[in-house]
Amino acid sequence: MSVYIFIDHTQGHVKKSSLEALSYGAALATQLGTTAEGILLGTIASDPAALGKYGIKKIHHAAQENLNALDAQVYARIIADTVAPSGEGVLVFSNNVTGKAVAPRVAVRLKAGLVSGAIALPDTASGFVVKKTVFSGKAFANIGIDTPFKVIALNPNAYTVKEGEGIAEVVPLTAAAPAPKVKVVSSKTASGEVPLTEAELVVSGGRGLKGPENWGMIEELAHLLGAATACSRPVADAHWRPHNEHVGQTGIAIAPNLYIAIGISGAIQHLAGVNRSKVIVVINKDPEAPFFKAADYGIVGDAFEVVPKMIEAVKRLKNPSS
Ligand SMILES: Cc1cc2nc3c(=O)[nH]c(=O)nc-3n(C[C@H](O)[C@H](O)[C@H](O)COP(=O)(O)OP(=O)(O)OC[C@H]3O[C@@H](n4cnc5c(N)ncnc54)[C@H](O)[C@@H]3O)c2cc1C
């Protein structure tokens, strides 16, 4: 049975989380002694065949521009129709916004078992068991799938991108896309130097920053580090920052390599969205702030003193002669 990986892209570029899914799918195909095949809907700026360097042998490509914008129902139908004739297989998605919308629909169409939030390659020694996080990352569960089709949604930043050599064979998908049931009347792209969901580094601010006028230092630190900016929910609710920066249980869940939390208490609902970060740095003037329990590094201090010093230190590091 083949391993099929959905290739998610935005503004002509394949998302990093999707490159992780490609690498994961390729490794799983090797483990199962089969081949990895990508499914690409819409158009990307580069040659799709070059994605072969992530270990996939074939790409099923529907190169219609009207597929560039996500329509979960249309995507699910095309993906399911593409793989259904094979009768069995593993489908890998990134567990990002697109994957969360599409993977369950594909699973329903294929009558497949689905594990979302996978964090490791399946154990295939006897059966097919996928490890995932549960309870907002506080525990793990190992879920067995025994349906002919198996759907896995891989958590972003849970698997390292592996780049090698290779060119994939591109097979055009010519079947007409089903008519969309949803009509998009307008869309607004979030502004920002680095998209939050794709960011390796994130600088985040909370109510401890007192007001929107104090976000200049957050933005400056983020800019110097090449990081995205984020915030706690009350900050977005108070319109100090846009809602697309709100992380947590009711906001975006992220898993950057570095999360710097400034003036954020560390409530469980906030942690639910950031506790998969590889390294967490907390800056808070209250030594009892709950966030310190989840931190890899903590600075007890006033953000208005600490952050300007960090900015100066980063500037010195980047330009030692100044
Ligand atoms: C159903 C539900 C869902 C929720 N979902 C989310 C969610 O998705 N995301 C989210 O963030 N919250 C969420 N919340 C809210 C959450 O419970 C907390 O209220 C919120 O995270 C607190 O935000 P905060 O840490 O910015 O503010 P506060 O709790 O007010 O904490 C501010 C922190 O800043 C520190 N501080 C103050 N001044 C300074 C200074 N000068 N320098 C350094 N530190 C300073 C304080 O010591 C304090 O720890 C949810 C709540 C509910 C009930």
Side-chain angles (χ1 to χ4, degrees), residues 14-27:
V14 177
K15 293 179 185 172
K16 176 179 164 271
S17 53
S18 202
L19 299 181
E20 293 164 2
L22 284 171
S23 302
Y24 176 95

Side-chain angles (χ1 to χ4, degrees), residues 3-9 18 37-42 60-62 67 70-94 98-110 112 149-152 173 175-178:
V3 177
Y4 302 96
I5 306 105
F6 172 68
I7 301 169
D8 189 14
H9 56 98
S18 202
E37 305 179 18
I39 300 178
L40 174 61
L41 308 182
H60 303 271
H61 187 197
L67 291 172
L70 166 67
D71 182 326
Q73 291 172 336
V74 171
Y75 277 27
R77 172 90 174 269
I78 299 174
I79 295 166
D81 287 353
T82 302
V83 306
S86 60
E88 61 173 8
V90 184
L91 289 93
V92 179
F93 294 80
S94 170
T98 310
K100 282 177 184 168
V102 180
R105 288 181 161 90
V106 171
V108 169
R109 285 189 170 274
L110 296 172
F149 282 108
K150 305 168 197 336
V151 180
I152 299 173
L173 272 179

Side-chain angles (χ1 to χ4, degrees), residues 282-289 292 297-303 305-306:
V282 170
I283 302 167
N284 198 302
K285 69 176 186 184
D286 175 9
E288 302 296 323
F292 283 121
Y297 300 93
I299 302 174
V300 179
D302 188 327
E305 291 171 17
V306 175

Side-chain angles (χ1 to χ4, degrees), residues 55-215:
I56 52 171
K57 301 286 175 232
K58 193 190 269 190
I59 296 182
H60 303 271
H61 187 197
Q64 292 108 293
E65 287 199 356
N66 61 348
L67 291 172
N68 284 347
L70 166 67
D71 182 326
Q73 291 172 336
V74 171
Y75 277 27
R77 172 90 174 269
I78 299 174
I79 295 166
D81 287 353
T82 302
V83 306
S86 60
E88 61 173 8
V90 184
L91 289 93
V92 179
F93 294 80
S94 170
N95 196 33
N96 59 11
V97 173
T98 310
K100 282 177 184 168
V102 180
R105 288 181 161 90
V106 171
V108 169
R109 285 189 170 274
L110 296 172
K111 296 187 171 42
L114 160 74
V115 175
S116 59
I119 54 165
L121 285 167
D123 180 352
T124 52
S126 66
F128 193 96
V129 178
V130 189
K131 186 175 185 180
K132 64 166 282 178
T133 53
V134 289
F135 300 121
S136 299
K138 289 209 171 298
F140 301 113
N142 292 299
I143 315 271
I145 312 180
D146 58 9
T147 47
F149 282 108
K150 305 168 197 336
V151 180
I152 299 173
L154 174 71
N155 267 349
N157 222 5
Y159 197 82
T160 310
V161 175
K162 293 190 177 109
E163 201 176 315
E165 308 260 312
I167 299 285
E169 176 198 357
V170 179
V171 182
L173 272 179
T174 47
K181 291 185 182 156
V182 177
K183 187 178 170 200
V184 178
V185 282
S186 73
S187 63
K188 195 172 159 195
T189 307
S191 59
E193 292 178 31
V194 185
L196 184 52
T197 48
E198 294 286 299
E200 305 259 353
L201 315 174
V202 174
V203 180
S204 187
R207 210 152 42 177
L209 290 170
K210 319 289 183 217
E213 66 281 6
N214 295 323
W215 243 262

Side-chain angles (χ1 to χ4, degrees), residues 207 210 232-233 246-250 263 265 269-270 284 302-303:
R207 210 152 42 177
K210 319 289 183 217
S232 65
R233 175 170 155 174
H246 154 200
V247 289
Q249 182 188 318
T250 46
S265 57
Q269 297 90 353
H270 184 87
N284 198 302
D302 188 327

